[in-house]
Amino acid sequence: MTDNNKPRPGLVLALLPIVLTLAVLGVQLFYFGDFTPHIPLAIGLAITASIGWMQGYRWVDMEEGILHVVRVGLPSIAILMTVGMIVGVWIASGTVPLLIYYGLQALTPDIFLAAGMLLCAVVSVSLGTSWGTTGTVGLALMGIGAGFDIPMYWTAGAVVSGAFFGDKISPLSDTTNLAPAVTGVNLFDHIRNMLPTTVPAMLIAFVIYLVVGFNVIGNEAVDFSKIELITATLDQNFDLSWVLLIPAILVLGLAVMKMPALPSLFAGALVGAALAMVMQGQSLHDVFSYMQNGYKLETGVSEIDSLLNRGGIQSMTWVITLVMIALGFGGALEKTRCLEVIITAILRRAKRFGSLQASAVGTAVATNLVAGDPYLSIALPGRMFAPAYRGKGYSTLNLSRAVEEGGTLVSPLVPWNAGGAFVITALGLGISDGQIENLLYIPLAFACWLSPLLGIAYGYLGWFSPRASKAERQRWHDESEAILYDTDGDDAAVSASAANAQGAAPARS
């Protein structure tokens, strides 16, 4: 929501708050070694507001722009809180343990890499956490892979492909909720729109891992004692039955029926809570506690305890506060017309939709490389590019897919990124000890880099690139979203008009 009566800053001045914010982030991430971007982003908001004041904006004007964008993200914040409840009660009910139990039993020597990727994908989708999956199931798979005498980088590549696939499309994932929040689209629509890139990328990766698995592993016997310990412990602590799949089936069914995300997820939480009491003997008070503070379990098996001790509304506080600050930062950049100037410069070189899509993915990747933070790599380009997509008449679902793939999936492939640093540490790749060859996991995490490449190709080919519907245009109008039209000279960001709301094509040069 911009003010077209105020002067636009020059390109250098428009870039200044972003560059300075990235510099502060760099100090926080690399000098202090603290992967917490909240305060640097808040400082960035203050820098942007100061530049706005120099341009003639009053604080009340900038506050209006900041709060407008934060209000747009409130539905997704509500979803994040509901997701926290779901994770807690789905673990307590046995739904998540059941998925892990069957997933671990599916492993066989010949298809170890392919099955390991699928196992990590199942666990990550059910939990919505790539980091949790990598640090637990992924770590167990690294031990099994060593027993098969498979190079660590091959196993790590399969683990990362599966774990971050789940983080990309799980409705329980914070990044999967963040991408539609900053681009203003529906959560389930966002997930459906990612399938054309996700499914082919996973299939290609699966085939590669299958071929490598048969050639590297063969039929050698291996010690499955760790997996047997995990499955036996799960069986001892939970009453496992197919009935426990009902909450997951319910949420998936409601998503297919295109029901709103928030009531669909809350229904899954309520059914999970009921099963926790009926199937696992939990009390009502315990269920309330799991929804608020997460599930707690002490089995003595570290892999299980670290994987299942999670969830609750409180577990989402970190990402919720980050979303609010990031949206506020984007709102300040938008209100002071800094985003408009930057996007105008990009659009002069990206006239075609394919170029715009490639630019959005590239900006998310670049933010991952420079800032070292996957959340910022989604939030910042998501707010920057949305007006340009609206101006070209394309659904911002294309943008949410672009930033998700350039942000979530590329994060574990950057060693100094929060995601990459976690993968290297959690999987014990020993990079700091001189085992540089294990960085080969980066090109071998096929699904992570194939998916954004497919998305860019679709943009140029015009495949799976939806135009904005009348309903989406109406939402732009109702929420006074900024639209950046293509013109021969300077582009102008304007509010959605009644003509847009009726489905009229945006003005073109």
Side-chain angles (χ1 to χ4, degrees), residues 102-122:
Y102 285 131
L104 287 172
Q105 288 190 330
L107 287 176
T108 61
D110 285 342
I111 60 171
F112 170 74
L113 289 175
M117 182 195 74
L118 291 181
L119 171 61
C120 287
V122 169

Side-chain angles (χ1 to χ4, degrees), residues 264-325:
S264 299
L265 291 171
F266 193 71
L270 292 179
V271 174
L275 286 176
M277 292 186 286
V278 174
M279 298 295 294
Q280 311 301 337
Q282 302 286 352
S283 69
L284 180 61
H285 181 260
D286 287 339
V287 169
F288 286 170
S289 177
Y290 300 147
M291 286 183 164
Q292 174 68 20
N293 301 308
Y295 185 70
K296 305 297 181 186
L297 179 69
E298 293 183 6
T299 65
V301 179
S302 60
E303 289 83 1
I304 292 179
D305 292 348
S306 58
L307 180 62
L308 299 185
N309 289 340
R310 62 182 64 252
I313 292 177
Q314 293 303 316
S315 70
M316 291 294 173
T317 303
W318 192 95
V319 70
I320 287 172
T321 52
L322 176 62
V323 168
M324 295 182 68
I325 296 172

Side-chain angles (χ1 to χ4, degrees), residues 127-184:
L127 284 176
T129 168
S130 55
W131 288 24
T133 303
T134 300
T136 52
V137 174
L139 183 59
L141 290 173
M142 293 298 292
I144 298 168
F148 284 137
D149 201 25
I150 300 175
M152 293 182 71
Y153 44 80
W154 271 109
T155 306
V159 167
V160 170
S161 285
F164 283 81
F165 154 82
D167 203 17
K168 175 190 174 188
I169 68 165
S170 172
L172 308 183
S173 166
D174 47 12
T175 55
T176 306
N177 280 275
L178 176 59
V182 298
T183 55

Side-chain angles (χ1 to χ4, degrees), residues 251-277:
V251 172
L252 290 174
L254 293 174
V256 170
M257 295 168 60
K258 298 187 176 181
M259 296 294 290
L262 187 58
S264 299
L265 291 171
F266 193 71
L270 292 179
V271 174
L275 286 176
M277 292 186 286

Side-chain angles (χ1 to χ4, degrees), residues 149-221:
D149 201 25
I150 300 175
M152 293 182 71
Y153 44 80
W154 271 109
T155 306
V159 167
V160 170
S161 285
F164 283 81
F165 154 82
D167 203 17
K168 175 190 174 188
I169 68 165
S170 172
L172 308 183
S173 166
D174 47 12
T175 55
T176 306
N177 280 275
L178 176 59
V182 298
T183 55
V185 298
N186 176 269
L187 170 63
F188 290 143
D189 289 342
H190 167 66
I191 292 173
R192 278 191 291 269
N193 195 53
M194 289 192 294
L195 295 180
T197 56
T198 301
V199 173
M202 287 293 286
L203 287 175
I204 294 171
F206 179 81
V207 170
I208 294 173
Y209 294 136
L210 200 60
V211 171
V212 171
F214 273 102
N215 284 277
V216 172
I217 300 170
N219 292 310
E220 296 179 17

Side-chain angles (χ1 to χ4, degrees), residues 235-271:
D235 196 30
Q236 292 170 5
N237 286 271
F238 295 93
D239 184 4
L240 301 178
S241 165
W242 67 268
V243 175
L244 302 176
L245 296 176
I246 291 177
I249 294 172
L250 173 65
V251 172
L252 290 174
L254 293 174
V256 170
M257 295 168 60
K258 298 187 176 181
M259 296 294 290
L262 187 58
S264 299
L265 291 171
F266 193 71
L270 292 179
V271 174

